[in-house]
Amino acid sequence: MKRMCCQLDQAHRMKLLYTAWFFFHFLLTLSQCVAMAVEVPFIPKQVLIFGGNGFIGSSTAERLIEAGHKLTLVSRGNWYWDSASTVMPFVQHIKCNRRETMEQCSELKHYVANIEQIDAVIDFSAYYAETIQESLDLVHRKTKLYIYISTDSVYEVCIKNHTGPTLETDAVRPESEEMRKNFESWDSYGHHKLECEEHLTNFSAGNSALPFIILRLPDVIGPRDNTNRWWYYQLWMKLKYYLEKDIIVPKSSENRLMSMVYVKDVADMIQKLVQNSYPNAYFQTFNLALKETFTLKQFLETMRDQLNATNVSITVEDSPLATRMYPSVKLGPVDTTKAEQILQWVPTKWADVLRETCDFYEMAIASHYFINQRSDMIRMLQNYLTTKPNNVYRALRNVYGLGYPETKDEL
């Protein structure tokens, strides 16, 4: 009988303990739900963008506008593609030509003088060291972060001592003055962009200690590319039946792997940096690129398959008729391990980039929003891919249903 009572007491104690445990976890879960239900007020960032109306810049501006930030764009006033409707109405625009001295940009100087703080400066357009130096002198006292958009072309003027994908640490100029000058003459673009990086780094290492992040990008692809390279290849394949020139890849590019980066991934990354998502990334440089690498021939073949242009042949020849619009560098792909580790860089898969970009340009060819861009492409096709310009109009009419009239070639 005593043993039974002890067993009942034990059962009662266990029941009380279980009830207490259940009640504790109920309260804990309830408190977590209440905490989640309390909204943290969103405070928009004050963002100053040098550029913002071109290919990468407009995509980034659209992303920041969507996130609710306050944007001030500094440019010469050209609005590319449809940025006049997707960006311009939602930002403060300051007209300023950075190729001239900053002293002439009175509106920009007034903006900086009268704003309390700039949360982030995004610099797409600095090309000369003097340009970025003037901008740093103007804004650094009120800026919390300076993001400079650079390029993998900087590696073309440096010494790389290994054969693997290019690392951020490979951006070291040769000690030989003669070799430096040779590299500068071979790739002036890479030289000037690296010079801008060097000025930013040295400026921050001085008395200012201005936090900066440098993003080095390979060839950028996606909708609204101002270089028209992707669209040119795409139309070449779609209209090939009406064009005389074949698609030939240079023999020198046959086995050369290349990196590319999707414009929307870059815009998303910049938006996260503006949100101060990765403060441990300050004072550092990062390569950004797709995970996949490919040769030019492989790149074109995947585009052809996506477009169902099965009758188009892509050959590799050592021929003066060969065309190479990608890549813009010779050192091969870049390594993105550092960005993956510090920035949690997870780019869009190549299959999705391919589909989305092809779909955009298939839409753009018939869109009334892009008449000027279509006219530019027509002229390019007429100048480089056929001796009978009217064939391009026939092709656009028959393939895309565009209303170009019947024309006759001159005898």
Side-chain angles (χ1 to χ4, degrees):
M1 188 72 175
K2 185 176 181 180
R3 181 181 298 176
M4 185 179 296
C5 289
C6 290
Q7 290 175 345
L8 289 173
D9 288 344
Q10 180 74 10
H12 184 65
R13 284 197 297 270
M14 291 298 295
K15 184 176 181 180
L16 289 174
L17 286 172
Y18 176 78
T19 303
W21 177 88
F22 177 82
F23 187 66
F24 170 76
H25 280 274
F26 171 76
L27 290 177
L28 180 63
T29 304
L30 181 62
S31 65
Q32 290 173 341
C33 292
V34 170
M36 291 174 64
V38 176
E39 293 186 3
V40 177
F42 172 77
I43 302 176
K45 303 286 187 179
Q46 290 282 354
V47 184
L48 176 65
I49 301 180
F50 289 110
N53 53 341
F55 178 30
I56 315 171
S58 61
S59 184
T60 301
E62 289 177 21
R63 184 69 186 86
L64 292 169
I65 291 167
E66 178 186 339
H69 299 299
K70 296 181 179 179
L71 273 59
T72 300
L73 268 62
V74 180
S75 73
R76 288 174 292 168
N78 301 319
W79 298 96
Y80 303 98
W81 288 86
D82 54 351
S83 59
S85 59
T86 62
V87 175
M88 186 174 67
F90 309 103
V91 302
Q92 176 185 355
H93 179 245
I94 296 175
K95 192 171 183 179
C96 172
N97 186 354
R98 297 180 82 194
R99 295 179 182 179
E100 300 175 358
T101 176
M102 195 70 74
E103 288 299 319
Q104 298 185 18
C105 298
S106 57
E107 188 179 355
L108 174 60
K109 292 172 67 177
H110 181 267
Y111 162 82
V112 174
N114 288 277
I115 195 168
E116 182 178 346
Q117 176 179 280
I118 302 171
D119 293 293
V121 172
I122 309 171
D123 194 339
F124 292 100
S125 60
Y127 177 62
Y128 292 107
E130 297 81 3
T131 302
I132 197 169
Q133 186 64 50
E134 282 193 327
S135 301
L136 290 169
D137 289 338
L138 179 65
V139 305
H140 79 274
R141 290 184 180 85
K142 295 188 175 181
T143 299
K144 296 178 66 177
L145 175 63
Y146 201 103
I147 302 172
Y148 181 60
I149 309 305
S150 191
T151 167
D152 65 344
S153 291
V154 301
Y155 300 118
E156 301 292 304
V157 296
C158 298
I159 295 293
K160 180 179 175 181
N161 56 13
H162 62 93
T163 58
T166 306
L167 301 163
E168 289 86 352
T169 50
D170 290 324
V172 179
R173 295 184 188 267
E175 293 183 6
S176 166
E177 189 67 27
E178 181 181 359
M179 190 177 292
R180 284 193 179 202
K181 289 181 179 179
N182 287 336
F183 282 172
E184 292 169 15
S185 63
W186 294 337
D187 196 318
S188 61
Y189 179 69
H191 160 63
H192 287 299
K193 293 294 280 187
L194 183 55
E195 203 170 40
C196 287
E197 289 189 22
E198 292 163 344
H199 266 66
L200 175 57
T201 303
N202 293 335
F203 185 89
S204 181
N207 296 327
S208 73
L210 172 65
F212 68 85
I213 296 173
I214 297 171
L215 302 179
R216 292 186 185 138
L217 311 180
D219 289 307
V220 185
I221 53 176
R224 301 173 177 85
D225 182 0
N226 291 337
T227 70
N228 287 327
R229 291 177 291 176
W230 181 298
W231 203 8
Y232 183 82
Y233 274 127
Q234 184 165 328
L235 284 175
W236 195 350
M237 293 180 190
K238 290 286 291 187
L239 309 181
K240 180 62 186 70
Y241 177 79
Y242 300 87
L243 304 172
E244 300 156 45
K245 188 174 181 180
D246 294 324
I247 301 177
I248 304 173
V249 173
K251 189 74 174 177
S252 59
S253 300
E254 182 176 14
N255 299 314
R256 183 183 298 165
L257 290 174
M258 59 184 180
S259 282
M260 291 181 164
V261 67
Y262 191 33
V263 67
K264 293 184 180 180
D265 289 339
V266 177
D268 286 343
M269 186 74 263
I270 295 173
Q271 196 272 332
K272 291 176 184 177
L273 296 177
V274 168
Q275 285 289 141
N276 198 31
S277 300
Y278 307 106
N280 57 333
Y282 289 178
F283 307 102
Q284 298 191 63
T285 301
F286 299 91
N287 294 330
L288 301 184
L290 298 176
K291 292 289 289 184
E292 300 87 348
T293 60
F294 20 69
T295 66
L296 177 57
K297 186 172 187 289
Q298 291 169 339
F299 164 74
L300 295 174
E301 287 172 341
T302 58
M303 183 188 294
R304 177 191 62 189
D305 295 343
Q306 178 66 34
L307 297 169
N308 293 317
T310 54
N311 61 325
V312 174
S313 63
I314 300 168
T315 59
V316 178
E317 297 179 24
D318 187 9
S319 167
L321 298 177
T323 301
R324 181 184 67 82
M325 302 186 78
Y326 295 105
S328 56
V329 296
K330 297 179 180 179
L331 286 180
V334 296
D335 189 298
T336 60
T337 302
K338 184 179 177 182
E340 292 165 18
Q341 293 174 344
I342 298 178
L343 302 179
Q344 284 79 58
W345 171 253
V346 182
T348 304
K349 294 180 179 179
W350 168 241
D352 295 328
V353 174
L354 178 66
R355 184 188 67 256
E356 292 174 15
T357 306
C358 284
D359 287 349
F360 172 82
Y361 289 114
E362 286 297 279
M363 174 278 297
I365 194 66
S367 172
H368 69 276
Y369 291 109
F370 305 127
I371 294 175
N372 292 334
Q373 288 76 20
R374 180 168 67 237
S375 298
D376 291 341
M377 289 306 305
I378 289 173
R379 285 192 292 271
M380 287 180 67
L381 298 177
Q382 290 174 328
N383 289 336
Y384 299 111
L385 299 183
T386 180
T387 59
K388 299 178 180 179
N390 288 329
N391 278 355
V392 176
Y393 293 124
R394 294 190 186 101
L396 291 171
R397 183 178 62 247
N398 295 337
V399 174
Y400 289 105
L402 297 182
Y404 290 102
E406 283 287 349
T407 55
K408 293 182 180 181
D409 291 309
E410 294 181 4
L411 297 176

